[in-house]
Amino acid sequence: MTDSDPFDEIIDAETDRDPDLAVIEAGSRTLRTQGTGAPQADVPGRPEDPQVDAALREVEAELATRWGETKLEPSVSRIAALMDVLGDPQRSYPSIHITGTNGKTSTARMIEALLGAFELRTGRYTSPHVQSITERISLDGAPISAERFIETYEDIKPYIEMVDAQQEFRLSFFEVLTGMAYAAFADAPVDVAVVEVGMGGSWDATNVIDADVAVVTPIDLDHTDRLGETTGEIATEKAGIVKQDATVILAQQPVDAAQVLLKKAVEVDATVAREGLEFGVVSRSVAVGGQLINLRGLGGEYEEIYLPLHGPYQAHNAAVALAAVEAFFGVGAQRPDPLAIDTVRKAFASVTSPGRLEVVRRSPTVVLDAAHNPAGARATAEAVAEAFDFSRLIGVVGASGDKNVRGLLEAFEPMFAEVVVTQNSSHRAMDVDELAAIAVEVFGDERVQVEPRLPDALEAAITLAEEDGEFAGGGVLVTGSVITVGEARLLLGRG
């Protein structure tokens, strides 16, 4: 790059702003390949009002001074203390608690859509965010406004500082956001909260709720340094969300994980519903823009459901979500009748999941997917092969340094003609040269291109996909990290 590079000039001019956001926004103004279509409403951009934007940046800056989401002290003592001084807002509404390794956010969105379709006011707390921190806290299916996010933070800030002064360690970034979510839900008020675990379960900050329904999506190896080196050990941590007399909805699990989860259910007299036994996917077929699925729920059959998401794993997520909502309403226990099929169909047809096999550009097609571990990558690879007819697929991969990057790359190796490795703006990002060295071992030197800057990586991948001509069926898959996907989404004009 030269001193006159417009990307760098914009960065230099943004010295009073968050440097990572400046990089992203500069890229969105210089990248030649802009996406088509309006931004998704459920992935907000920066506030248009300069004063609101400045206030939100101030909150973000204060949150950034706290421990990040990868630095943990395994305890719920701090969040419990915050809940106590706030008057235990998390106990003012029933909740559905979701843990697992992959599929949590998509499943949460489906549960939220179903509950909303049955005219319940919902609160949803998920992580991490794709583009805006406000995505993490949703009311009635939409992220709270920047103004409400700021107001919620300011309302509980004195109590946060009170707890900070009493504890050995200050509340972390994730703990503060969790407190904000629970307070916002109580203030709304919501009829039910849908809460996604950040990491693990037992000592996760979200685990100060006693959820009526606990959901466990598929467990695989991730965060092994903190949760355990086998799926059984990881399941032991995740089983911590299963509370006395709850209903547990189990997605298909490895045998050792299932044994741990079932044992915990017995210990606390929880009722268990297992995918493949009490509920599941009866059939599925590819449809335009998604798939048509038939599900067996706790209350009977639900046929001809259109799900506007790609991949077998999303059908399984839908089965889990449906069973969770049935359990919440007492279907299969207190009431024998299934949920109203027309309402179920309407709910599933409305589901979105930004950054999960999301098409953001055509000619060539650019798909974003936030797969960040080998299990997620394998599911994504299977879904791409089924849903898209690419004759030549180029990968853009920017991963976090604490992930099993080799396993992720090996999952994609059979489908990528070439891979462009890059680096996102996060401090957690794997160094691009380190990533390139692993990629060369997996793909071979001739199939790997290195572009340290994400805008350049997208340019390079699109150029490679276009090599065989406009109608040759080339495509680009951007993956490896939620942060990489979020930044690419902005660069391609979606936000």
Side-chain angles (χ1 to χ4, degrees), residues 372-394:
H372 55 272
N373 56 44
R378 289 191 294 270
T380 295
E382 180 182 11
V384 169
E386 175 185 87
F388 301 93
D389 188 24
F390 293 126
S391 61
R392 173 182 172 83
L393 183 62
I394 309 300

Short mmCIF file of all heavy atoms in Angstrom, two decimals, residues 372-394:
data_model
loop_
_atom_site.label_atom_id
_atom_site.label_comp_id
_atom_site.label_asym_id
_atom_site.label_seq_id
_atom_site.Cartn_x
_atom_site.Cartn_y
_atom_site.Cartn_z
N HIS A 372 -16.89 -21.48 12.89
CA HIS A 372 -15.60 -21.14 13.49
C HIS A 372 -14.94 -22.33 14.18
O HIS A 372 -13.93 -22.18 14.86
CB HIS A 372 -15.78 -20.00 14.50
CG HIS A 372 -16.80 -20.30 15.56
ND1 HIS A 372 -18.13 -20.01 15.37
CD2 HIS A 372 -16.70 -20.87 16.78
CE1 HIS A 372 -18.80 -20.39 16.45
NE2 HIS A 372 -17.96 -20.91 17.32
N ASN A 373 -15.52 -23.52 14.01
CA ASN A 373 -14.89 -24.73 14.53
C ASN A 373 -15.13 -25.86 13.54
O ASN A 373 -15.95 -25.73 12.63
CB ASN A 373 -15.43 -25.06 15.94
CG ASN A 373 -16.95 -25.20 15.98
OD1 ASN A 373 -17.56 -25.82 15.12
ND2 ASN A 373 -17.57 -24.61 16.99
N PRO A 374 -14.44 -26.98 13.67
CA PRO A 374 -14.56 -28.05 12.67
C PRO A 374 -15.98 -28.57 12.49
O PRO A 374 -16.41 -28.81 11.36
CB PRO A 374 -13.63 -29.14 13.21
CG PRO A 374 -12.58 -28.39 13.97
CD PRO A 374 -13.32 -27.25 14.62
N ALA A 375 -16.73 -28.74 13.57
CA ALA A 375 -18.09 -29.26 13.45
C ALA A 375 -18.96 -28.28 12.67
O ALA A 375 -19.75 -28.69 11.80
CB ALA A 375 -18.68 -29.51 14.84
N GLY A 376 -18.84 -27.00 12.99
CA GLY A 376 -19.60 -26.00 12.25
C GLY A 376 -19.21 -25.95 10.79
O GLY A 376 -20.06 -25.79 9.90
N ALA A 377 -17.91 -26.09 10.53
CA ALA A 377 -17.42 -26.06 9.14
C ALA A 377 -17.95 -27.25 8.35
O ALA A 377 -18.33 -27.11 7.17
CB ALA A 377 -15.90 -26.04 9.12
N ARG A 378 -17.98 -28.41 8.97
CA ARG A 378 -18.50 -29.60 8.27
C ARG A 378 -19.98 -29.41 7.93
O ARG A 378 -20.43 -29.77 6.83
CB ARG A 378 -18.30 -30.85 9.12
CG ARG A 378 -16.84 -31.30 9.24
CD ARG A 378 -16.73 -32.67 9.87
NE ARG A 378 -17.17 -32.69 11.26
CZ ARG A 378 -16.37 -32.48 12.30
NH1 ARG A 378 -15.09 -32.20 12.10
NH2 ARG A 378 -16.84 -32.54 13.54
N ALA A 379 -20.74 -28.85 8.87
CA ALA A 379 -22.16 -28.61 8.62
C ALA A 379 -22.35 -27.59 7.50
O ALA A 379 -23.22 -27.74 6.64
CB ALA A 379 -22.85 -28.14 9.90
N THR A 380 -21.53 -26.56 7.51
CA THR A 380 -21.60 -25.53 6.47
C THR A 380 -21.25 -26.12 5.10
O THR A 380 -21.92 -25.84 4.10
CB THR A 380 -20.66 -24.37 6.80
OG1 THR A 380 -21.13 -23.72 8.00
CG2 THR A 380 -20.61 -23.34 5.67
N ALA A 381 -20.19 -26.91 5.05
CA ALA A 381 -19.77 -27.52 3.79
C ALA A 381 -20.89 -28.39 3.20
O ALA A 381 -21.17 -28.34 2.00
CB ALA A 381 -18.51 -28.35 4.00
N GLU A 382 -21.54 -29.16 4.05
CA GLU A 382 -22.64 -30.00 3.60
C GLU A 382 -23.80 -29.16 3.07
O GLU A 382 -24.39 -29.46 2.03
CB GLU A 382 -23.12 -30.90 4.75
CG GLU A 382 -24.27 -31.82 4.36
CD GLU A 382 -24.77 -32.66 5.54
OE1 GLU A 382 -24.38 -32.39 6.69
OE2 GLU A 382 -25.59 -33.57 5.29
N ALA A 383 -24.09 -28.07 3.79
CA ALA A 383 -25.21 -27.21 3.38
C ALA A 383 -24.91 -26.48 2.08
O ALA A 383 -25.80 -26.34 1.22
CB ALA A 383 -25.51 -26.21 4.49
N VAL A 384 -23.68 -26.01 1.90
CA VAL A 384 -23.31 -25.31 0.66
C VAL A 384 -23.42 -26.26 -0.52
O VAL A 384 -23.94 -25.91 -1.59
CB VAL A 384 -21.89 -24.74 0.78
CG1 VAL A 384 -21.39 -24.27 -0.59
CG2 VAL A 384 -21.86 -23.58 1.77
N ALA A 385 -22.94 -27.49 -0.35
CA ALA A 385 -22.99 -28.47 -1.44
C ALA A 385 -24.43 -28.76 -1.84
O ALA A 385 -24.73 -28.98 -3.02
CB ALA A 385 -22.29 -29.76 -1.01
N GLU A 386 -25.33 -28.76 -0.87
CA GLU A 386 -26.73 -29.06 -1.15
C GLU A 386 -27.47 -27.88 -1.76
O GLU A 386 -28.27 -28.04 -2.69
CB GLU A 386 -27.43 -29.47 0.15
CG GLU A 386 -28.92 -29.70 -0.01
CD GLU A 386 -29.60 -29.99 1.32
OE1 GLU A 386 -29.98 -29.02 2.02
OE2 GLU A 386 -29.73 -31.18 1.66
N ALA A 387 -27.21 -26.67 -1.24
CA ALA A 387 -28.04 -25.52 -1.59
C ALA A 387 -27.53 -24.72 -2.79
O ALA A 387 -28.30 -23.99 -3.41
CB ALA A 387 -28.16 -24.59 -0.38
N PHE A 388 -26.24 -24.84 -3.10
CA PHE A 388 -25.65 -24.03 -4.17
C PHE A 388 -24.97 -24.92 -5.19
O PHE A 388 -24.31 -25.90 -4.83
CB PHE A 388 -24.64 -23.03 -3.60
CG PHE A 388 -25.22 -22.09 -2.59
CD1 PHE A 388 -25.17 -22.38 -1.23
CD2 PHE A 388 -25.83 -20.91 -2.97
CE1 PHE A 388 -25.70 -21.53 -0.28
CE2 PHE A 388 -26.37 -20.04 -2.04
CZ PHE A 388 -26.30 -20.35 -0.68
N ASP A 389 -25.10 -24.54 -6.43
CA ASP A 389 -24.50 -25.34 -7.52
C ASP A 389 -23.24 -24.64 -8.03
O ASP A 389 -23.16 -24.25 -9.20
CB ASP A 389 -25.52 -25.53 -8.64
CG ASP A 389 -25.04 -26.50 -9.70
OD1 ASP A 389 -24.18 -27.35 -9.37
OD2 ASP A 389 -25.51 -26.41 -10.85
N PHE A 390 -22.25 -24.47 -7.16
CA PHE A 390 -21.03 -23.78 -7.55
C PHE A 390 -20.12 -24.72 -8.36
O PHE A 390 -19.87 -25.85 -7.96
CB PHE A 390 -20.25 -23.30 -6.32
CG PHE A 390 -20.92 -22.21 -5.54
CD1 PHE A 390 -21.15 -22.35 -4.18
CD2 PHE A 390 -21.34 -21.04 -6.16
CE1 PHE A 390 -21.76 -21.35 -3.46
CE2 PHE A 390 -21.97 -20.03 -5.44
CZ PHE A 390 -22.18 -20.19 -4.09
N SER A 391 -19.65 -24.22 -9.48
CA SER A 391 -18.66 -24.99 -10.24
C SER A 391 -17.25 -24.71 -9.73
O SER A 391 -16.33 -25.52 -9.93
CB SER A 391 -18.74 -24.62 -11.73
OG SER A 391 -18.47 -23.23 -11.91
N ARG A 392 -17.09 -23.57 -9.07
CA ARG A 392 -15.79 -23.18 -8.54
C ARG A 392 -16.05 -22.29 -7.31
O ARG A 392 -16.65 -21.22 -7.43
CB ARG A 392 -15.00 -22.41 -9.61
CG ARG A 392 -13.69 -21.79 -9.16
CD ARG A 392 -13.08 -21.02 -10.35
NE ARG A 392 -11.92 -20.25 -9.97
CZ ARG A 392 -10.68 -20.72 -9.86
NH1 ARG A 392 -10.46 -22.01 -10.12
NH2 ARG A 392 -9.68 -19.96 -9.52
N LEU A 393 -15.61 -22.74 -6.14
CA LEU A 393 -15.86 -22.01 -4.91
C LEU A 393 -14.54 -21.54 -4.30
O LEU A 393 -13.62 -22.34 -4.10
CB LEU A 393 -16.62 -22.87 -3.90
CG LEU A 393 -17.00 -22.19 -2.58
CD1 LEU A 393 -17.95 -21.02 -2.82
CD2 LEU A 393 -17.65 -23.21 -1.62
N ILE A 394 -14.47 -20.25 -4.03
CA ILE A 394 -13.28 -19.65 -3.42
C ILE A 394 -13.60 -19.35 -1.95
O ILE A 394 -14.63 -18.76 -1.65
CB ILE A 394 -12.87 -18.36 -4.14
CG1 ILE A 394 -12.78 -18.57 -5.66
CG2 ILE A 394 -11.56 -17.83 -3.56
CD1 ILE A 394 -11.77 -19.61 -6.07
#
